[in-house]
Amino acid sequence: MDRNNMNIAKGIGAGLMSGMIVGYVGAKAMRGKAKEKNKISMAMHYMGDIFDKGAKFFS
C-alpha cells in the first residue's frame, strides 16, 4: 500500500511540474506577435477540450 501511495504522489508531482512548464512556455509565447498569439490561443483551447473530454471519459 505504501508503494501505491508513493506512485500516486510521484504522478501528482510530475503533473504539477509539467503544468508549470506548459504555463511558463505559454506565457512566454503569448508575448509574441498577434498572429502567433492567435495560433497559440487556438492550440491551447483545442488541448483544453481534449483534456476535458478525456476527463469525462474516465468519470
Side-chain angles (χ1 to χ4, degrees):
M1 194 68 172
D2 265 346
R3 190 175 212 176
N4 192 25
N5 290 338
M6 197 58 174
N7 287 337
I8 290 171
K10 286 180 187 177
I12 291 171
L16 288 172
M17 289 300 292
S18 63
M20 288 180 3
I21 291 169
V22 168
Y24 174 75
V25 170
K28 193 158 181 111
M30 291 300 275
R31 294 186 192 132
K33 297 178 184 174
K35 196 176 226 184
E36 292 172 1
K37 282 185 189 178
N38 190 21
K39 288 181 183 179
I40 293 168
S41 177
M42 288 173 52
M44 289 172 73
H45 284 289
Y46 181 70
M47 289 304 293
D49 290 343
I50 289 174
F51 286 129
D52 286 341
K53 288 178 184 176
K56 287 180 184 176
F57 177 76
F58 288 112
S59 62

